Amino acid sequence: MTTLHQLRCFLAAYESGSLTAAATRLGHAQPSVSEQVRVLERSLGARLFQRVGRGLLPTEAAHELRPHAEQALAAVSAGQQAVRSVNEVETGTIRFGVFGASRIYLSGAVVLEVLQRHPGVRVELVGRHTTDVLEQLRRGQLEAALVSLPVDDPNLEVNPLIRDELVYASAHADRLSQPVTGPRLGAAPLVLPWASWAQIDTTRSQLATMVEATGRTLQTRVEVEDVETALEVAESGEADTVLGLGMLHLLADRLSPDLGWVPLRPKVFDRFAIVHRTGAVLSPATALMVDVVSARMRAVARGADRLGRVRALR
């Protein structure tokens, strides 16, 4: 019966051209390597080497055997690596970057899925805003992250994931009779989240551009730090807000039936991506989180599309 050890000895002898050199390469005694080669020859019923002085000359049979021996050892190595990878996932730490509103998009579902699939893994979801998360990525404090676009950094690899249409939400039905244009948005009493990042927030920037194109300036009546508070104010009727359709889909069961929405015209989208350092090879644990987060975000996008189609049919 041919063994992996015999194949290793054969390949070392084939590549070294000497049993002594093969033994040194493998860290075994020369007689042991020589015996393994002889046993392999007997099991195959073929001579693999011609002895020429102190060296070896491979036979035709050896030339034929070599690629098969290499494939067999490579397959075993790949299997061992696969098992090691599983073990790393089972016991590794996932430190994954997220932006503030990811608690709505991802909720605890992604963490629970990872823990249920791999009970031994440790999870850290880190970040409050895309700007902070990107800085941690650059410093090597995170392996990968879910962020909002755009990201302009040649040292970071960006893998676009989904886009979420921004919509105008209000408790006043008369403000929802038609899509909201730039002039109307510029004149609206608005409550918007991410007050601490208002000057650099990508959603704010897009809305400001939309309004400024009409000769106006984006104004807010209320500034808050999170989407939930903005929606609570909007439900009261004191101000209106703008948020992603995906968020509305996810928060639908918590919202007042008095709160409705219409699209913006022209349409505006938040775009999200998985980002990591250029050329980085993600650990198995982080790669698992990327897969789970990506699947969750795509599911959110499908729910948002359904919500949009339902309104279009009314």
Side-chain angles (χ1 to χ4, degrees):
M1 179 181 176
T2 301
T3 66
L4 293 173
H5 184 47
Q6 291 168 5
L7 294 177
R8 290 191 186 96
C9 291
F10 159 72
L11 284 174
Y14 184 101
E15 294 167 359
S16 302
S18 161
L19 288 172
T20 300
T24 300
R25 176 175 171 178
L26 295 172
H28 299 308
Q30 188 272 341
S32 173
V33 174
S34 180
E35 176 61 20
Q36 291 301 312
V37 172
R38 282 197 296 270
V39 171
L40 179 60
E41 289 178 324
R42 286 198 298 270
S43 69
L44 296 175
R47 179 68 64 86
L48 297 175
F49 299 102
Q50 296 289 341
R51 275 65 175 178
V52 180
R54 295 185 177 182
L56 300 174
L57 184 64
T59 65
E60 188 62 30
H63 292 312
E64 291 293 326
L65 176 61
R66 180 187 182 183
H68 299 288
E70 290 174 335
Q71 289 170 13
L73 293 176
V76 171
S77 177
Q80 292 170 336
Q81 181 58 45
V83 171
R84 283 195 295 270
S85 295
V86 170
N87 288 338
E88 288 179 30
V89 171
E90 293 293 348
T91 59
T93 294
I94 302 172
R95 195 166 194 270
F96 188 81
V98 293
F99 57 92
S102 65
R103 66 178 177 272
I104 299 174
Y105 287 102
L106 304 180
S107 70
V110 296
V111 174
L112 293 176
E113 182 174 348
V114 170
L115 295 180
Q116 288 165 2
R117 288 168 57 178
H118 300 281
V121 80
R122 182 172 178 273
V123 178
E124 295 181 13
L125 294 185
V126 179
R128 298 178 61 197
H129 192 270
T130 286
T131 304
D132 296 337
V133 171
L134 291 176
E135 187 58 33
Q136 291 190 63
L137 276 171
R138 295 185 185 102
R139 293 176 179 175
Q141 297 170 339
L142 298 170
E143 274 195 272
L146 173 68
V147 302
S148 59
L149 296 177
V151 173
D152 184 15
D153 188 332
N155 296 314
L156 296 177
E157 182 175 319
V158 179
N159 300 288
L161 197 55
I162 70 165
R163 66 179 191 174
D164 191 12
E165 182 181 353
L166 296 175
V167 296
Y168 185 93
S170 175
H172 298 273
D174 59 311
R175 300 176 187 173
L176 304 174
S177 59
Q178 58 186 345
V180 172
T181 60
R184 284 189 59 203
L185 186 63
L190 292 175
V191 50
L192 293 178
W194 319 127
S196 294
W197 292 277
Q199 300 304 313
I200 57 175
D201 182 64
T202 55
T203 301
R204 290 280 192 108
S205 177
Q206 292 188 87
L207 297 179
T209 298
M210 178 181 173
V211 173
E212 288 166 4
T214 68
R216 294 173 174 265
T217 301
L218 183 69
Q219 301 288 339
T220 56
R221 183 181 184 191
V222 182
E223 294 275 351
V224 297
E225 290 289 10
D226 59 89
V227 173
E228 293 92 337
T229 301
L231 282 170
E232 186 176 347
V233 173
E235 287 177 320
S236 73
E238 292 296 332
D240 300 338
T241 193
V242 176
L243 74 163
L245 199 53
M247 292 188 198
L248 277 178
H249 160 67
L250 293 167
L251 297 172
D253 59 347
R254 308 184 212 172
L255 300 178
S256 165
D258 294 332
L259 190 72
W261 63 271
V262 289
L264 300 176
R265 287 293 182 270
K267 289 188 175 184
V268 181
F269 297 88
D270 275 339
R271 292 172 170 82
F272 304 104
I274 298 293
V275 180
H276 57 75
R277 291 189 304 281
T278 300
V281 177
L282 300 182
S283 67
T286 299
L288 169 65
M289 178 60 81
V290 168
D291 289 343
V292 173
V293 167
S294 298
R296 168 71 176 182
M297 292 297 284
R298 292 188 183 104
V300 170
R302 290 192 295 271
D305 286 343
R306 287 194 297 271
L307 185 60
R309 288 195 298 271
V310 167
R311 181 174 186 87
L313 293 173
R314 291 177 180 174

